[in-house]
Amino acid sequence: MAKNEVATTDKKFELVTLTGELAEAIAEEMDGLGSIPFERAKIPSGGGLAFELPGETEDEPVMSTELTGVILHHHPVNAYWAEQYSGGNEQPDCSSYDGKQGVERETGEIHDCSKCPHNQFGSAGAGKACKNIHRCYILQESNPVPIILALPPTSLKYIRDYIGKRILLKGLRCYDAVTKITLKKEKSADGITYSRAAFTFVSKLTDEQKAEAKAMAENVKAMAGNIPEVDEADYNAGAAVDASEFQNVDGDANLPFN
């Protein structure tokens, strides 16, 4: 097998997308109600190794040590609160859907995130006053509605390395492959234990599935713009680690890999 050739597995991933009869049924039944909301996967605090996934009811989440599926879309999200964030539906004073341009909630003024003083290390102790996360939309097996996973800054190096080395250099896109995400326990320089994501390539989709996944990815990109920039699940992604731990992750962001 050539170095960059990707092996497939005997077990076919059961890809289900919002197309055909299912799309027609959703359009009819959800008329006047809006679209089906994406559910959330949560990374635990304190170094926990199990994701909290949505269950049959909101009071009965499912704990799982892995999250496997197709990453249809992913993008950075920034949010800044002038006062300390207190949770709930409190909207940020400035937010950015793409991590590049921030928009002030009250004035509509646009800021360059790379130059914004709130997005610089040292603006909040050793860290940043602006909250940086990376949002992933994952299509699980036999489920046509993606689940959202918000990655904290401590996981950004690992998703960057995975996409660069295990996906792009294999001639693939994220929506061409099945990815398994697990959690690893780490400890900060200050002794705080936290969880960070680890990514494993499972298999590539069939050519037919790739076409379906690509079309679904385009739909998700269009829908993602209507999702609030940051909610409580995003803000609380992972553990409350000293932001100075993020410098080695964020500081080399312009490099292709480490």
Side-chain angles (χ1 to χ4, degrees), residues 177-205:
V178 179
T179 298
K180 181 172 74 174
I181 308 173
T182 54
L183 295 170
K184 291 187 178 295
K185 183 183 295 186
E186 302 283 359
K187 184 174 289 188
S188 72
D190 292 336
I192 299 175
T193 301
Y194 63 95
S195 307
R196 63 92 170 165
F199 301 84
T200 303
F201 178 90
V202 177
S203 65
K204 65 179 180 179
L205 299 176

Side-chain angles (χ1 to χ4, degrees), residues 4-8 70-71 74 162-179 201-207 210 214:
N4 287 336
E5 187 176 348
V6 180
T8 56
V70 178
I71 301 174
H74 61 92
Y162 171 72
I163 292 175
K165 297 174 182 177
R166 308 300 176 213
I167 298 295
L168 296 178
L169 291 186
K170 304 296 185 183
L172 302 173
R173 297 292 299 271
C174 283
Y175 49 71
D176 292 331
V178 179
T179 298
F201 178 90
V202 177
S203 65
K204 65 179 180 179
L205 299 176
T206 66
D207 290 343
K210 287 179 183 179
K214 182 177 181 179

